[in-house]
Amino acid sequence: MKLLHVAGARPNFPKLAPVHRVAAARGIAQLIVHTGQHYDDALSASFLRELEIPDPDVNLGVGSGTHADQTARVMTGLEPVIEAAAPDWVVVYGDVNSTLAAAVVAAKLGVKLAHVEAGLRSHDRTMPEEINRLVTDRLANLLLTPSRDASDELRREGEPEGEIVFVGNVMIDSLLAARDRARRLDTLERLGVTGETVVVTLHRPSNVDDRTRLQRIANALSAIARTRPVLFPAHPRTTARLASFGITLPGVRLVEPLRYLEMVAATHAAFAVVTDSGGVQEESTALGVPCFTVRANTERPVTVTEGTNILVPDPDALPGLVASAVRPAAPRIPEGWDGRAAERVVDALQQRA
Ligand code: UD1
């Protein structure tokens, strides 16, 4: 059996790493194609290093652009690579533009497509990721879901039962493997933050591309910072928007994006996290850290029903909610978030090769 993995943006890498490692241990032939959607060391190469992902066999170097532009460049670059490699499976991860592009190319070449993290839905088509999820799942031949509710979503959409396999959350495989190494980094101390720290990540266009909303979020973060330290590793998109809108965050410690292990360390040590990232919602649930998601919806409802996540559509509510955060004594961990999801992914790929 031969696998061709496609990854391109930061959240893809903690999902790819365990699947690649398990497949390698089973002697399966595999190729990694990095689309180049993310290219900064902090969003890409540092993740590959820390997650011990081998150097990609191919880097398409697509870089940034509009949605159509970026997606088209991945498609054009990937088509000859898949044709030459003739894999049994193209394996795609998550919901970024690279995921969508690879799905369309594989489907049109008639190569079987497996989607890791299938079935997540925010039911909000203004999110680019929702379009990517819908199209990828429609085209995939194997839908590997992280939670039971995701499998149910796919059934409701009419996907054949035989294509849906509940495997659990591969990102938690990476998190559990990294947790002890991460803790030794003392990331908060290194960044000069002490005390009950609130760790913030924000990068969704709906939050950061709108001046009024970003200003309201900034005001809320500064209000929190009057009572406890706030560490904000800002995504390049967010840094650019803050600068162009002239928005400042008095009292907030604004830093570059953290590397993978540093982010795990910071989340683990946090009093609470404030985020709009899908991955951080999941990681905080797995670590039992209170999470406030600055969105009206989530494609990861299990982090609300079984985890620590609370949706906060109105940024003005953040200071009050964060002040009353309580870390659960014994966190509830969703089914299949057990560090062995990648084994179940590779089992499913082998059974259907
Ligand atoms: C992408 C994903 C999003 C994911 C996020 C994680 C899509 C549609 N979006 O959003 O789902 O949650 O990654 O980070 O695929 N930039 C850099 N350096 C880089 C990459 C980007 O500075 O290495 C800047 C560029 O100005 C670029 C902007 O960030 O225009 C946005 O990058 P892009 O990949 O288009 O989307 P993200 O916002 O990163």
Side-chain angles (χ1 to χ4, degrees):
M1 183 172 78
K2 188 187 214 180
L3 305 178
L4 188 150
H5 307 270
V6 182
R10 178 170 64 179
N12 292 157
F13 304 123
K15 297 166 196 165
L16 161 69
V19 177
H20 187 277
R21 187 165 45 247
V22 169
R26 295 188 192 177
I28 294 168
Q30 34 187 355
L31 283 172
I32 299 175
V33 178
H34 190 320
T35 66
Q37 176 173 345
H38 283 174
Y39 41 87
D40 285 354
D41 187 78
L43 303 186
S44 174
S46 70
F47 270 61
L48 300 182
R49 279 196 304 277
E50 295 195 340
L51 289 158
E52 296 171 359
I53 297 170
D55 285 342
D57 299 275
V58 179
N59 191 320
L60 303 176
V62 301
S64 304
T66 67
H67 286 273
D69 188 28
Q70 191 173 56
T71 307
R73 274 187 275 135
V74 175
M75 290 175 67
T76 312
L78 192 58
E79 187 175 55
V81 176
I82 297 181
E83 273 189 307
D88 296 285
W89 286 105
V90 168
V91 187
V92 296
Y93 299 85
D95 56 15
V96 302
N97 285 346
S98 300
T99 311
L100 165 75
V104 174
V105 174
K108 291 215 166 170
L109 289 175
V111 177
K112 281 187 299 194
L113 174 70
H115 183 204
V116 176
E117 203 184 83
L120 298 188
R121 297 289 182 269
S122 64
H123 302 285
D124 173 4
R125 291 197 189 183
T126 66
M127 271 183 99
E129 293 80 3
E130 184 75 353
I131 311 288
N132 296 347
R133 294 179 199 118
L134 283 163
V135 175
T136 303
D137 284 343
R138 217 54 344 113
L139 298 177
N141 308 94
L142 180 57
L143 297 152
L144 300 154
T145 67
S147 51
R148 297 277 181 196
D149 60 275
S151 300
D152 292 341
E153 284 279 359
L154 293 168
R155 288 187 190 105
R156 275 195 292 277
E157 290 177 5
E159 288 292 343
E161 189 62 39
E163 292 186 359
I164 305 169
V165 182
F166 166 66
V167 290
N169 192 330
V170 289
M171 224 178 56
I172 306 305
D173 293 14
S174 283
L175 178 71
L176 298 180
R179 193 171 46 181
D180 291 341
R181 261 187 310 153
R183 266 190 216 153
R184 290 196 288 273
L185 290 178
D186 293 329
T187 296
L188 297 184
E189 275 173 34
R190 181 181 76 73
L191 294 167
V193 188
T194 50
E196 291 187 337
T197 303
V198 177
V199 175
V200 180
T201 80
L202 295 165
H203 71 285
R204 297 265 162 232
S206 55
N207 279 329
V208 307
D209 289 2
D210 178 305
R211 178 198 287 265
T212 311
R213 184 156 174 93
L214 188 57
Q215 182 67 66
R216 283 175 60 209
I217 295 172
N219 294 347
L221 298 178
S222 285
I224 297 169
R226 287 197 278 278
T227 57
R228 42 175 60 88
V230 176
L231 177 72
F232 186 177
H235 186 283
R237 174 194 280 277
T238 311
T239 310
R241 295 297 180 272
L242 288 169
S244 67
F245 297 147
I247 295 174
T248 56
L249 293 143
V252 172
R253 179 103 164 85
L254 201 62
V255 297
E256 298 282 305
L258 297 181
R259 303 193 316 263
Y260 177 69
L261 288 174
E262 288 179 325
M263 188 59 202
V264 171
T267 306
H268 191 271
F271 170 75
V273 298
V274 172
T275 193
D276 59 14
S277 145
V280 176
Q281 293 174 54
E282 296 182 339
E283 288 162 345
S284 53
T285 274
L287 295 171
V289 174
C291 177
F292 299 93
T293 297
V294 195
R295 286 175 48 186
N297 52 52
T298 179
E299 59 290 329
R300 292 161 163 92
V302 75
T303 60
V304 176
T305 55
E306 292 179 43
T308 56
N309 194 13
I310 295 176
L311 296 181
V312 189
D314 177 3
D316 299 348
L318 278 172
L321 287 168
V322 170
S324 59
V326 183
R327 199 185 253 252
R332 298 170 300 170
I333 306 295
E335 182 187 357
W337 295 28
D338 58 357
R340 308 194 64 175
E343 291 174 30
R344 295 185 285 268
V345 168
V346 180
D347 289 346
L349 291 167
Q350 287 184 304
Q351 281 158 15
R352 285 147 218 260

Coordinates of all heavy atoms in Angstrom, one line a residue, residues 9-11 37-41 43-44 63-65 67 70 95-98 128-129 132 203-205 235-237 240 277-278, ligand 1:
A9 N -0.9 23.8 6.0 CA -1.0 24.9 7.0 C -0.8 24.3 8.4 O -1.0 23.2 8.6 CB -2.4 25.5 6.8
R10 N -0.5 25.3 9.3 CA -0.1 24.9 10.7 C -1.0 23.8 11.3 O -0.4 22.8 11.8 CB -0.2 26.2 11.5 CG 0.2 25.9 13.0 CD 0.4 27.2 13.7 NE -0.8 28.0 13.8 CZ -0.9 29.2 14.4 NH1 0.2 29.7 15.0 NH2 -2.0 29.9 14.4
P11 N -2.3 23.9 11.2 CA -3.1 22.9 11.9 C -3.0 21.5 11.3 O -3.5 20.5 11.9 CB -4.6 23.4 11.9 CG -4.6 24.4 10.8 CD -3.2 24.9 10.7
Q37 N 1.3 26.4 1.7 CA 0.3 27.4 2.1 C 0.8 28.2 3.2 O 0.7 29.4 3.3 CB -1.1 26.7 2.5 CG -2.1 27.7 3.0 CD -3.5 27.1 3.2 OE1 -3.8 26.1 2.8 NE2 -4.3 27.9 4.0
H38 N 1.4 27.6 4.2 CA 2.1 28.3 5.3 C 3.6 28.0 5.0 O 4.0 27.0 4.7 CB 1.7 27.8 6.7 CG 0.4 28.3 7.1 ND1 -0.2 28.0 8.3 CD2 -0.4 29.3 6.5 CE1 -1.4 28.6 8.4 NE2 -1.5 29.4 7.4
Y39 N 4.4 29.1 5.3 CA 5.8 29.1 4.9 C 6.7 29.7 6.0 O 7.9 29.4 6.0 CB 6.0 29.8 3.6 CG 5.2 31.1 3.5 CD1 5.7 32.2 4.0 CD2 3.9 31.0 3.0 CE1 4.9 33.4 4.0 CE2 3.1 32.2 2.9 CZ 3.6 33.3 3.4 OH 2.8 34.5 3.4
D40 N 6.2 30.5 6.9 CA 7.0 31.0 8.0 C 7.5 29.9 8.9 O 6.7 28.9 9.1 CB 6.2 32.0 8.8 CG 6.0 33.3 8.2 OD1 6.5 33.6 7.1 OD2 5.2 34.1 8.8
D41 N 8.7 30.0 9.4 CA 9.2 29.0 10.3 C 8.2 28.7 11.4 O 8.0 27.5 11.8 CB 10.6 29.4 10.9 CG 11.2 28.3 11.7 OD1 11.8 27.4 11.0 OD2 11.1 28.3 12.9
L43 N 5.0 28.8 11.6 CA 3.8 28.2 11.2 C 4.0 26.9 10.5 O 3.1 26.1 10.3 CB 2.9 29.1 10.3 CG 2.5 30.5 10.8 CD1 1.6 31.1 9.8 CD2 1.9 30.4 12.2
S44 N 5.3 26.6 10.1 CA 5.5 25.4 9.2 C 6.7 24.6 9.7 O 6.6 23.6 10.4 CB 5.6 25.9 7.8 OG 6.0 24.8 7.0
G63 N 2.3 29.4 -1.3 CA 2.3 30.7 -0.6 C 0.9 31.3 -0.4 O -0.1 30.5 -0.5
S64 N 0.8 32.6 -0.1 CA -0.5 33.2 0.3 C -1.2 33.7 -1.0 O -0.5 33.9 -2.0 CB -0.2 34.4 1.2 OG 0.4 34.0 2.4
G65 N -2.5 34.0 -0.9 CA -3.2 34.5 -2.0 C -4.7 34.5 -1.7 O -5.1 34.2 -0.6
H67 N -8.5 33.1 -2.0 CA -8.9 31.7 -1.9 C -8.8 30.9 -3.2 O -8.2 29.9 -3.3 CB -10.4 31.6 -1.3 CG -10.4 31.9 0.1 ND1 -10.2 30.9 1.1 CD2 -10.6 33.0 0.8 CE1 -10.3 31.5 2.3 NE2 -10.5 32.8 2.1
Q70 N -5.0 30.6 -4.3 CA -4.2 29.6 -3.5 C -4.7 28.2 -3.8 O -3.9 27.3 -4.0 CB -4.5 29.9 -2.0 CG -3.6 29.2 -1.1 CD -3.8 29.7 0.4 OE1 -4.9 29.7 0.9 NE2 -2.7 30.2 1.0
D95 N -9.4 21.2 7.3 CA -10.3 22.0 6.6 C -9.7 23.2 5.9 O -10.4 24.2 5.7 CB -11.5 22.4 7.5 CG -11.0 23.2 8.7 OD1 -9.8 23.6 8.7 OD2 -11.8 23.3 9.7
V96 N -8.4 23.2 5.6 CA -7.8 24.4 5.1 C -7.9 24.3 3.5 O -8.3 23.3 3.0 CB -6.3 24.5 5.5 CG1 -6.2 24.6 7.0 CG2 -5.4 23.4 5.0
N97 N -7.5 25.4 2.9 CA -7.6 25.4 1.4 C -6.8 24.3 0.7 O -7.2 23.8 -0.3 CB -7.1 26.8 0.9 CG -8.2 27.9 1.1 OD1 -9.3 27.6 1.5 ND2 -7.7 29.1 1.0
S98 N -5.7 23.9 1.3 CA -4.9 22.8 0.7 C -5.7 21.5 0.8 O -5.5 20.7 -0.1 CB -3.6 22.7 1.5 OG -2.8 23.9 1.5
P128 N -14.7 30.1 5.5 CA -14.2 29.4 4.4 C -13.9 27.9 4.7 O -14.1 27.1 3.8 CB -12.8 30.1 4.1 CG -12.6 31.0 5.3 CD -13.9 31.3 6.0
E129 N -13.6 27.6 5.9 CA -13.4 26.2 6.3 C -14.6 25.4 6.1 O -14.5 24.2 5.9 CB -12.9 26.1 7.8 CG -11.5 26.8 8.0 CD -11.5 28.3 8.2 OE1 -12.6 28.9 8.2 OE2 -10.4 28.9 8.3
N132 N -14.8 24.2 2.7 CA -13.7 23.2 2.5 C -14.1 21.9 3.1 O -13.9 20.8 2.5 CB -12.4 23.7 3.1 CG -11.9 24.9 2.5 OD1 -12.3 25.3 1.4 ND2 -10.9 25.6 3.1
H203 N -7.4 34.4 15.0 CA -7.0 34.6 13.6 C -8.1 34.5 12.6 O -7.9 34.7 11.4 CB -5.9 33.6 13.2 CG -6.4 32.2 13.1 ND1 -6.7 31.4 14.1 CD2 -6.7 31.4 12.0 CE1 -7.1 30.2 13.7 NE2 -7.1 30.2 12.4
R204 N -9.3 34.1 13.0 CA -10.4 34.0 12.1 C -10.8 35.3 11.4 O -10.9 36.3 12.1 CB -11.7 33.5 12.8 CG -11.6 32.2 13.5 CD -12.1 31.1 12.6 NE -11.6 29.9 13.2 CZ -11.0 28.9 12.5 NH1 -10.8 29.1 11.2 NH2 -10.5 27.9 13.1
P205 N -10.9 35.3 10.1 CA -11.3 36.5 9.4 C -12.5 37.2 10.1 O -12.5 38.4 10.2 CB -11.6 36.1 8.0 CG -10.8 34.8 7.8 CD -10.7 34.2 9.2
H235 N -1.1 35.4 15.3 CA -1.0 35.0 14.0 C -0.6 36.1 13.0 O -1.1 37.3 13.3 CB -2.3 34.4 13.6 CG -2.4 33.7 12.2 ND1 -2.4 34.3 11.0 CD2 -2.4 32.3 11.9 CE1 -2.5 33.5 10.0 NE2 -2.4 32.3 10.6
P236 N 0.2 35.9 12.0 CA 0.6 37.0 11.1 C -0.6 37.8 10.6 O -0.6 39.1 10.4 CB 1.3 36.4 10.0 CG 1.6 35.0 10.4 CD 0.8 34.6 11.6
R237 N -1.7 37.1 10.3 CA -2.9 37.8 9.8 C -3.4 38.8 10.8 O -3.7 40.0 10.5 CB -4.0 36.8 9.5 CG -5.4 37.4 9.1 CD -6.5 36.4 9.2 NE -6.6 35.5 8.1 CZ -7.2 35.8 6.9 NH1 -7.8 37.0 6.7 NH2 -7.2 35.0 5.9
A240 N -1.0 41.8 11.3 CA -1.2 42.8 10.2 C -2.4 43.6 10.4 O -2.4 44.8 10.1 CB -1.3 42.0 8.8
S277 N -9.6 29.4 17.5 CA -8.9 28.3 16.8 C -9.6 26.9 17.1 O -10.0 26.7 18.2 CB -7.5 28.2 17.2 OG -7.0 26.8 17.2
G278 N -9.8 26.1 16.1 CA -10.4 24.8 16.3 C -9.5 23.9 17.2 O -9.9 23.3 18.1
Ligands
UD1_1 C1 -5.3 29.2 7.5 C2 -6.6 28.3 7.3 C3 -7.3 28.3 8.6 C4 -6.4 27.8 9.7 C5 -5.2 28.7 9.8 C6 -4.2 28.3 10.9 C7 -7.7 28.4 5.1 C8 -8.9 29.0 4.4 N1 -7.5 28.9 6.3 O1 -5.7 30.5 7.7 O2 -8.4 27.4 8.5 O3 -7.1 27.9 10.9 O4 -4.5 28.6 8.5 O5 -3.1 29.1 11.0 O6 -7.0 27.5 4.6 N2 0.9 34.4 6.4 C9 2.2 34.6 6.8 N3 3.0 33.6 6.9 C10 2.6 32.3 6.5 C11 1.3 32.1 6.1 C12 0.5 33.2 6.1 O7 2.6 35.8 7.1 O8 3.5 31.4 6.6 C13 0.0 35.6 6.3 C14 -0.2 36.2 4.9 O9 -0.3 37.5 5.1 C15 -1.5 35.6 4.5 C16 -2.3 35.5 5.8 O10 -1.3 35.2 6.8 O11 -2.1 36.3 3.5 C17 -3.3 34.4 5.8 O12 -2.7 33.1 5.4 P1 -3.7 32.0 4.8 O13 -2.9 30.7 4.7 O14 -4.4 32.5 3.6 O15 -4.8 31.8 5.9 P2 -4.7 31.7 7.5 O16 -5.4 32.9 8.0 O17 -3.4 31.4 7.9

